Amino acid sequence: MKIPNFKSEEGSIMYKNTVGELISPRVANVLLKRVQAELSPLTKKAVLDLGCGPGNVCLPLAKGFPNLQIIAVDSSESMIHLAQSEAIRQHVPNLQFERMDAGHIALPLNSFDFVLCNLAFPFFGKPVDSMREVFAVVRPGGSVFFTVPGTNTWREFFDIAKTALGDMVSMARPFLAKFSQSEGLLEAMSAAGFHDIVPQRTLLPFHFANGQAVLEFFGQLFHLLEYATADMKTELADAIDDMNPDGFTMHYEAMLLSGQKPDEP
């Protein structure tokens, strides 16, 4: 299977209507909870939301902490438009939007106390180069918070799929590769110069009444099972139901890595 190009306008809308609705808000809540623990209602900080998408992180953060000055950037004009329209609707004045790619962050050096990034890292073309761009705009002593999918994402589903479909599961390898990004993120953060890197692992449960509901869910996510025949899908749904007669729960593993830019000597 082929992963869509989410940097294209068509791909960004597809992302919003799949991951953006089904998964990203729940992972954003993990990120927000961690960042909010560092803040108080009177905190005055400069924040960059990198790859902001439709605003799952920047909008609630700006609204909950009006003294923050937040710049939200995304490579997609459609995403910027959606988030900006929502900020206007919610009357959020402390939030500014710019179209910008993570490969070239054209913002002042040493200007942000926090850089936040929710699930965008797996789509960075040159992860280490982008992380160095991030490092350059973080103030000495500032912090970064990145979320990526962990290797245990949908583990329960793929365990059953391997049993039911055998080698055919290998066709989902490009999709599965996105779940190994936590190691790449750690390496990129370290290479860029961040230290005190701390991982936080959160398993988010997704419950389904039966196997057919599971297949419908994955049918919305990048057409994950489009290579499977009708008989294969039936076999997979039956296997899920046989092993889980009272419903099926699988988990999305949200990996949050935080790090700090060293203070100037």
Side-chain angles (χ1 to χ4, degrees), residues 165-184:
L165 303 181
D167 292 341
M168 288 299 294
V169 175
S170 65
M171 303 216 25
R173 188 173 292 115
F175 186 82
L176 292 168
K178 296 300 180 185
F179 301 156
S180 62
Q181 296 296 311
S182 55
E183 293 87 353

Side-chain angles (χ1 to χ4, degrees), residues 103-119:
H104 180 64
I105 303 176
L107 295 168
L109 302 179
N110 303 315
S111 57
F112 294 99
D113 299 287
F114 293 151
V115 175
L116 318 178
C117 183
N118 186 47
L119 298 182

Side-chain angles (χ1 to χ4, degrees), residues 85-226:
S85 298
E86 188 62 22
I88 293 171
R89 189 188 70 82
Q90 295 187 26
H91 306 289
V92 183
N94 57 326
L95 181 53
Q96 174 185 340
F97 294 93
E98 294 189 32
R99 185 178 181 184
M100 197 175 299
D101 190 272
H104 180 64
I105 303 176
L107 295 168
L109 302 179
N110 303 315
S111 57
F112 294 99
D113 299 287
F114 293 151
V115 175
L116 318 178
C117 183
N118 186 47
L119 298 182
F121 177 81
F123 306 105
F124 289 179
K126 297 181 179 179
V128 174
D129 290 347
S130 292
M131 195 60 67
R132 287 179 177 142
E133 291 279 311
V134 172
F135 187 87
V137 299
V138 178
R139 288 176 179 159
S143 300
V144 295
F145 301 86
F146 276 64
T147 57
V148 289
T151 56
N152 291 309
T153 297
W154 313 138
R155 174 65 61 83
E156 301 92 345
F157 170 80
F158 284 108
D159 284 347
I160 293 176
K162 288 176 184 177
T163 300
L165 303 181
D167 292 341
M168 288 299 294
V169 175
S170 65
M171 303 216 25
R173 188 173 292 115
F175 186 82
L176 292 168
K178 296 300 180 185
F179 301 156
S180 62
Q181 296 296 311
S182 55
E183 293 87 353
L185 175 56
L186 176 60
E187 292 171 1
M189 291 173 69
S190 298
F194 291 105
H195 67 179
D196 295 336
I197 301 171
V198 178
Q200 173 187 319
R201 172 178 176 264
T202 303
L203 290 175
L204 302 173
F206 286 71
H207 184 75
F208 302 88
N210 51 47
Q212 183 58 40
V214 176
L215 298 191
E216 290 172 359
F217 173 78
F218 277 117
Q220 299 176 70
L221 292 174
F222 320 137
H223 308 293
L224 176 59
L225 296 175
E226 65 181 3

Side-chain angles (χ1 to χ4, degrees), residues 38-47 65-70 94 111-114 139:
E38 305 272 334
L39 302 172
S40 74
L42 300 179
T43 300
K44 294 182 179 181
K45 298 281 187 182
V47 179
F65 296 87
N67 287 326
L68 296 179
Q69 292 300 316
I70 303 175
N94 57 326
S111 57
F112 294 99
D113 299 287
F114 293 151
R139 288 176 179 159

